[in-house]
Amino acid sequence: MFTTRPTLQGTFGMASSTHWLASAAAMAVLEDDGNAFDAAVAAAFTLHVVEPHLNGPAGEVPVIIAPAGSAPRVLCGQGPAPAGATIAHYTSLGLDLVPGTGPLAAAVPGAFDAWLLLLRDHGTKSLADVLKYAVGYAEHGHPAVERVGATVETVRELFETEWTTSAEVYLPGGRPPAPGALLRNPALAATWRRLLAEARATIAPGTVGTERRDAEIEAARRIWREGFIAEELAAFAARPVLDTSGERHASTLTGDDLAAYSAHYEDPVTHDWNGWTVAKAGPWSQGPVLLQQLALLDDDFGTRDSGAEYGSTEYVHTLVEGTKLAMADREAWYGDAEGADVPLATLLSSGYNAARRKLVDPERAASDLRPGSPDGRTPRLPAAAAADAGTSIAVAPGAGEPTVARDGATRGDTCHLDIVDRWGNMVAATPSGGWLQSNPVVPALGFPLGTRLQMTWLEEGLPNSLTPGRRPRTTLTPSLALRDGVPVLAFGTPGGDQQDQWSLHFLLAVALRERFRGGYDLQGAIDAPNWHTESFPSSFHPRLTDPGSLVLESRFDDRTIAGLRRLGHRVTVSGPWSEGRLCAVARDPETGVLSAAANPRMMQGYAAGR
């Protein structure tokens, strides 16, 4: 079949990310005898610079790693709510939702510490080795992609009148950066140079080799938590800033919150389907949604015998209806497992999903939110979500993670990266938050805080209620798949609530390759026409829903589109290349052949390798 690009193949190393400069940085590290984890950290810090509208150092990241010969692990870089972030505090300010922008929406930053923990435990390079690409692009400039300037334009007035520290970086000469114009961030470059210098200065004389490398990384982690970076973040967070509420609020984030945080490792949640084992982060993310979507499918789904052949009306209808059921369970049951009682084993069990599968009407699309009752428990939805049910809200087709600025129109998004090396190490990560339109730039540092607390509810007793010390339930959801217990595929996409919808469509295109005529390789699976529904509450301010909605790329067959409309889906046909931003890498454990592919949509994602 025709694809926009070839699937890259080789035996040395492969990198795929949402920006070609990050993929190139990752490959440069691999070429310098670094491993996949070194390369991932270099790519991540590069993404902070070249995709500042999509992520930043004070954002968050879940990472799934599969060291060669070892079981997959999840590295959690999602910070919790600060100690002062109580529901009572927010409601006392007259709020019924956490604002979508501004310091009040900031969780404890998690991304930086997660990347350094990954480098210390699984990498081989020094901190300077992996930071030099980001420092170079920040100091000397990088050609801005079109969407950086377009994003800045949507918040130009806000930057000029309120967030003036952001204007200093992102309105050079008083204008948003034009496509291809060099965009510099000297303050960020200076931050990393100072961090490296101070970290080196703490190392005892005579310390060499791995001991020196690890000591430098640990010193940098302390500086972030307790040194000049923490001081600047805490001081700036205390300043009242205009946010989506139309009022000025300060953050609850303090130096104590920063000092107490550390990224950590967890076991992944997994599900087996047709010989594949899919590994995801736990219910503090939306990762188990993909597993529930798979659990709702019959083993013969996607075949001619199933009556739902790949790409048909029946095929898409079944996936969309399953997505609605899984997302309803997300709303009722998912939250930080350390503080919420999440019945995850039951939600993924065969009996529970066999019963849920019967709720899918092959003749009619559902519009209501229908969470299940695992173990006989009564589901509880947020009052705002229940009130919104049945209310149709117009949402822009193909929208990613929205952070709404003062004019209600700004949308942000996320990044993704996947790396595999010649030794078989594999990593998938979805960095996000701390983007330029989320909060004002901290002038001494060159980057802003994030806004992940907007995903929590200001209502007591829910799995995802705003609670000090608990992680907000994030939409960020990288994926790793195994065959016969061996990691073979790392993949993921930006897109907020759409991430596991787009990832499901991609994974099935790969998994069913031998089961339908023609088949797809990685690039073909990424290129395939995609879809999403918003028939559940958005995870982002202002938490809207669009019951019964279905957005399809126009490249779907006309008969499929017409059939879905007949079944009652409220279909919006979007642009031909508007749904999904997937990246993927793979490794054949029998031959050692490596593969990679990247999303052609938005003309930004690229894979590299040899």
Side-chain angles (χ1 to χ4, degrees):
M1 65 161 292
F2 170 80
T3 59
T4 57
R5 309 165 181 173
T7 295
L8 302 186
Q9 290 192 302
T11 57
F12 179 80
M14 292 284 163
S16 179
S17 81
T18 48
H19 196 292
W20 61 82
L21 291 179
S23 298
M27 280 307 300
V29 172
L30 293 178
E31 295 284 2
D32 194 34
D33 289 329
N35 65 22
F37 309 114
D38 297 312
V41 178
F45 279 94
T46 300
L47 287 172
H48 296 159
V49 180
V50 301
E51 292 191 324
H53 58 311
L54 307 180
N55 77 139
E60 46 275 325
V61 61
V63 187
I64 303 183
I65 63 171
S70 300
R73 294 280 281 164
V74 170
L75 173 56
C76 175
Q78 174 59 66
T86 64
I87 290 175
H89 174 68
Y90 284 65
T91 55
S92 73
L93 299 173
L95 299 170
D96 56 4
L97 290 174
V98 177
T101 62
L104 202 57
V108 179
F112 178 89
D113 196 62
W115 289 122
L116 265 63
L117 192 63
L118 179 65
L119 182 67
R120 185 198 71 183
D121 293 345
H122 297 282
T124 63
K125 293 294 187 180
S126 71
L127 183 56
D129 284 339
V130 296
L131 272 178
K132 64 184 180 183
Y133 307 95
V135 171
Y137 286 127
E139 188 169 46
H140 303 297
H142 61 94
V145 294
E146 180 180 359
R147 287 180 179 264
V148 171
T151 301
V152 174
E153 180 60 41
T154 64
V155 285
R156 181 209 284 252
E157 182 183 352
L158 182 67
F159 282 12
E160 291 174 337
T161 59
E162 296 282 345
W163 297 7
T164 55
T165 58
S166 297
E168 292 171 8
V169 178
Y170 294 111
L171 289 174
R175 297 183 302 275
L182 281 182
L183 179 61
R184 297 178 173 87
N185 190 340
L188 179 58
T191 295
W192 297 148
R193 290 193 184 282
R194 181 178 174 184
L195 175 79
L196 290 168
E198 291 192 9
R200 290 184 188 122
T202 68
I203 299 173
T207 307
V208 296
T210 301
E211 185 180 357
R212 179 181 179 85
R213 171 188 172 276
D214 292 352
E216 183 180 49
I217 293 170
E218 281 302 296
R221 294 177 72 200
R222 288 193 299 273
I223 292 166
W224 175 277
R225 292 175 185 152
E226 303 173 20
F228 79 95
I229 294 177
E231 292 170 359
E232 293 289 349
L233 287 174
F236 202 78
R239 294 176 48 183
V241 167
L242 184 70
D243 59 39
T244 52
S245 71
E247 302 293 334
R248 292 176 177 82
H249 296 115
S251 178
T252 60
L253 182 70
T254 68
D256 288 342
D257 296 311
L258 292 163
Y261 176 74
S262 176
H264 65 278
Y265 296 97
E266 301 176 352
D267 290 329
V269 181
T270 63
H271 180 74
D272 297 331
W273 187 78
N274 275 342
W276 291 80
T277 300
V278 182
K280 301 287 286 185
W284 55 269
S285 75
Q286 74 173 2
V289 162
L290 178 60
L291 307 183
Q292 285 197 249
Q293 289 169 310
L294 291 171
L296 285 163
L297 300 177
D298 290 319
D299 286 345
D300 67 347
F301 179 76
T303 66
R304 287 197 177 98
D305 293 340
S306 72
E309 187 177 354
Y310 182 87
S312 65
T313 295
E314 294 78 13
Y315 180 93
V316 177
H317 174 72
T318 301
L319 294 182
V320 173
E321 295 305 292
T323 294
K324 294 174 184 177
L325 293 174
M327 286 295 194
D329 277 344
R330 184 194 75 169
E331 289 309 305
W333 301 110
Y334 286 23
D336 189 343
E338 294 182 0
D341 182 14
V342 183
L344 194 58
T346 302
L347 291 171
L348 296 176
S349 67
S350 58
Y352 177 80
N353 284 285
R356 295 282 279 164
R357 194 179 303 133
K358 294 177 182 178
L359 296 177
V360 175
D361 185 343
E363 303 297 330
R364 193 68 188 169
S367 294
D368 52 337
L369 201 61
R370 298 178 292 174
S373 301
D375 304 321
R377 295 164 58 178
T378 301
R380 178 184 163 196
L381 293 170
D388 218 19
T391 304
S392 178
I393 307 293
V395 181
E401 293 186 17
T403 43
V404 184
R406 181 172 56 174
D407 62 1
T410 300
R411 289 184 178 271
D413 208 330
T414 293
C415 306
H416 188 82
L417 64 90
D418 301 302
I419 318 283
V420 61
D421 64 29
R422 62 191 184 276
W423 300 288
N425 299 305
M426 189 174 287
V427 56
T430 310
S432 187
W435 44 53
L436 66 87
Q437 64 274 35
S438 64
N439 260 305
V441 166
V442 181
L445 301 178
F447 59 84
L449 288 165
T451 55
R452 195 59 55 173
L453 291 187
Q454 68 181 287
M455 311 185 96
T456 61
W457 294 104
L458 298 181
E459 182 179 345
E460 299 284 359
L462 298 169
N464 193 32
S465 297
L466 176 65
T467 307
R470 273 172 48 179
R471 294 167 288 185
R473 189 198 70 214
T474 180
T475 52
L476 307 175
T477 174
S479 303
L480 194 140
L482 304 86
R483 295 298 300 269
D484 300 321
V486 179
V488 296
L489 178 65
F491 62 100
T493 176
D497 296 310
Q498 285 77 53
Q499 288 181 32
D500 281 314
Q501 302 182 59
W502 293 336
S503 290
L504 174 69
H505 192 58
F506 164 81
L507 177 61
L508 289 174
V510 173
L512 296 172
R513 183 177 181 185
E514 297 176 353
R515 306 181 92 192
F516 60 88
R517 190 171 171 180
Y520 287 83
D521 60 10
L522 293 187
Q523 192 63 53
I526 288 173
D527 288 355
N530 218 321
W531 54 268
H532 80 270
T533 178
E534 292 167 349
S535 194
F536 48 83
S538 168
S539 295
F540 290 85
H541 188 279
R543 312 304 296 271
L544 305 179
T545 188
D546 193 4
S549 64
L550 177 58
V551 181
L552 298 164
E553 286 184 328
S554 61
R555 291 181 295 123
F556 271 94
D557 186 278
D558 289 344
R559 291 170 297 179
T560 297
I561 295 173
L564 291 164
R565 283 184 167 137
R566 283 196 302 272
L567 293 176
H569 294 278
R570 294 180 47 251
V571 173
T572 298
V573 178
S574 64
W577 298 95
S578 56
E579 292 288 312
R581 290 183 60 205
L582 281 142
C583 301
V585 299
R587 180 178 182 271
D588 185 329
E590 295 184 2
T591 65
V593 170
L594 311 177
S595 303
N599 175 56
R601 298 164 178 88
M602 296 173 62
M603 304 296 285
Q604 200 165 308
Y606 273 87
R610 70 171 177 87

